[in-house]
Amino acid sequence: MLEASKAFSSYSVNDIEKAKQFYGNTLGLQVSGGPEGTIRVSEARVLIYPKPSHQPANFTVLNFPVENIENAVDELSKRGVRFEKYNQPELKTDDRGIFRGRGPVIAWFKDPAGNILSVLEQK
């Protein structure tokens, strides 16, 4: 039944115009208007919708696979993206915000609504 479905993700933001600027200008993604005040992020197959009582998730809602994480972090940092830094026993990032522990090499950042996104290296 669902094998032919084109699944996509969706999540809320508290300010749709800030989201449109961030995803379109800062991240350089193709953003278009969706139904009833939503926006679509074409490359990521994401629908972002406004929600006045938005509460950001405390987990990653969207991952961007990249070939070289250092290059991605450098480029996004130049565009004003601030990467999260963690110093926990099981989760330590370097001074640039890159985690090189168990699992993929990954760096997390937030959109203007506090949603957690990441770039993760896939070779």
Side-chain angles (χ1 to χ4, degrees), residues 23-121:
Y23 287 89
N25 295 343
T26 304
L27 298 185
L29 300 170
Q30 184 179 351
V31 176
S32 60
E36 300 181 31
T38 63
I39 59 174
R40 291 187 185 277
V41 181
S42 299
E43 296 90 337
R45 295 180 46 111
V46 170
L47 177 70
I48 300 172
Y49 55 93
K51 182 178 178 188
S53 61
H54 166 74
Q55 293 292 315
N58 60 0
F59 52 85
T60 308
V61 298
L62 185 60
N63 298 286
F64 294 96
V66 296
E67 288 184 27
N68 184 300
I69 198 155
E70 285 85 6
N71 291 347
V73 167
D74 288 346
E75 180 61 32
L76 290 170
S77 294
K78 288 178 194 172
R79 296 178 183 197
V81 172
R82 291 183 37 217
F83 287 87
E84 299 295 299
K85 296 188 175 104
Y86 300 104
N87 187 15
Q88 302 167 7
E90 296 289 319
L91 180 62
K92 291 185 189 298
T93 57
D94 64 19
D95 60 340
R96 296 169 66 197
I98 301 172
F99 174 72
R100 301 173 195 279
R102 258 189 5 226
V105 178
I106 187 168
W108 294 276
F109 59 99
K110 293 181 179 177
D111 74 1
N115 294 309
I116 302 170
L117 315 175
S118 84
V119 287
L120 64 102
E121 190 168 84

Side-chain angles (χ1 to χ4, degrees), residues 3-41:
E3 61 274 1
S5 176
K6 303 262 187 210
F8 66 93
S9 177
S10 68
Y11 49 89
S12 69
V13 296
N14 55 353
D15 187 323
I16 202 75
E17 286 305 315
K18 280 186 182 175
K20 188 182 286 187
Q21 292 297 315
F22 179 78
Y23 287 89
N25 295 343
T26 304
L27 298 185
L29 300 170
Q30 184 179 351
V31 176
S32 60
E36 300 181 31
T38 63
I39 59 174
R40 291 187 185 277
V41 181

